Amino acid sequence: MTKQKIKVVISDLDGTLLNAHHKISEYTKTVFQELHNQNYLVIVATGRHHLDAMPLVESLGVPLYLVTSNGARIHSPTKELLFSVNMESDHVKSILSLDIDPEITTVLFRENVWQTNKHNEKLNSFQTELNYHPELVDFSTVEDLSAIKVFFTHEKHSKLLELRAQILEHHSDLFSHAFSLPICLEFMDKSVDKSVAIAKILEKENLIFEEAISFGDGFNDENMLKATGKGLVMGNAPDSLKNKLSHLEVILTNDNDGVAKHLHQEFLASSLLK
């Protein structure tokens, strides 16, 4: 891969473009605006819901493709919905009918709200502005459980590992899954993955993975990082991901503007960007 070959910049949001305060720095915005000026295609791929992610990426100030819910939705630079897929109600019900530890927070991503079995302040803190509203529900009373994705969160990673094993024991052929964070276990329709959604965008733009550079920090970024011409792992990524992708370069952390500094150094060093 050469610098001249790269035409596409792909980045995750949380733990990657966003700092610990869930904000995009002014420096990062400046770098991405210069990338746009130099005709790079920008794709942001996140586990967040599109209603939650859109205001965040708008602050970059550049047109971009937005992949959300780990690939279950694709929006164009003009916010047109290009692709969507949901989990079937019966499939979600088969998960929720399992004996899930009541300490675990369960969340269903619906089209306009996220439904949860309990209030979770840590989850609420991920939205600096409440664009995607929570709704407290008893899932046993909900008839239609079709969802964009279902995810579980708990401070103990070990509890989520046990839950993953429990779900996959019964339903390994129905879902794709990933840890977006060690404390967040997510399940989607089996066809859903960030890399699959990105492939659809690249095909639409007559581009290929070898012409893309990608950045991520979670296991939901793994296939994306492996597929692109160059994949970069964030310094704040869990050691388990760094070890699994040991052939990939590790860059600075999200709080140190790792994505922007790498892009500036590798692709914009000769520009007037300060």
Side-chain angles (χ1 to χ4, degrees), residues 74-229:
I74 303 173
H75 284 83
S76 75
T78 59
K79 298 185 181 180
E80 176 189 0
L81 179 63
L82 300 178
F83 173 80
S84 68
V85 62
N86 285 343
M87 302 172 72
E88 295 180 16
S89 178
D90 287 347
H91 292 175
V92 175
K93 190 174 295 185
S94 70
I95 293 179
L96 300 185
S97 64
L98 297 174
D99 185 20
I100 298 173
D101 189 324
E103 291 184 2
I104 294 174
T105 301
T106 301
V107 174
L108 259 62
F109 267 27
R110 309 299 285 263
E111 200 62 38
N112 297 307
V113 297
W114 55 279
Q115 295 179 324
T116 180
N117 63 332
K118 61 172 67 178
H119 287 296
N120 187 306
E121 288 303 319
K122 187 155 190 173
L123 285 181
N124 291 337
S125 72
F126 276 75
Q127 291 193 76
T128 54
E129 297 179 10
L130 197 59
N131 298 295
Y132 186 44
H133 295 270
E135 180 179 85
L136 190 64
V137 299
D138 176 356
F139 289 120
S140 67
T141 67
V142 179
E143 185 172 339
D144 179 13
L145 289 170
S146 58
I148 301 172
K149 73 174 183 180
V150 56
F151 78 89
F152 305 93
T153 182
H154 194 279
E155 289 302 313
K156 291 184 178 179
H157 182 62
S158 59
K159 279 189 175 289
L160 297 179
L161 287 173
E162 292 172 3
L163 177 60
R164 180 180 68 172
Q166 184 182 1
I167 293 172
L168 294 181
E169 179 183 356
H170 297 87
H171 309 294
S172 61
D173 60 333
L174 293 180
F175 310 113
S176 65
H177 74 281
F179 280 97
S180 54
L181 294 168
I183 63 168
C184 288
L185 172 62
E186 312 193 355
F187 284 85
M188 293 73 60
D189 180 82
K190 63 183 178 181
S191 65
V192 170
D193 187 86
K194 287 185 181 183
S195 64
V196 175
I198 291 165
K200 295 179 187 296
I201 296 170
L202 295 177
E203 182 179 12
K204 180 179 175 64
E205 294 287 340
N206 294 313
L207 294 164
I208 57 175
F209 273 110
E210 286 74 14
E211 296 173 304
I213 186 171
S214 64
F215 302 85
D217 74 306
F219 278 95
N220 58 335
D221 301 315
E222 180 183 351
N223 291 333
M224 171 185 82
L225 293 169
K226 291 191 296 187
T228 50

Side-chain angles (χ1 to χ4, degrees), residues 44-89:
V44 171
T46 177
R48 288 186 184 238
H49 190 280
H50 55 276
L51 293 179
D52 185 14
M54 278 183 178
L56 293 169
V57 298
E58 282 175 357
S59 72
L60 278 173
V62 301
L64 52 80
Y65 282 95
L66 180 61
V67 173
T68 55
S69 298
N70 292 323
R73 297 288 187 275
I74 303 173
H75 284 83
S76 75
T78 59
K79 298 185 181 180
E80 176 189 0
L81 179 63
L82 300 178
F83 173 80
S84 68
V85 62
N86 285 343
M87 302 172 72
E88 295 180 16
S89 178

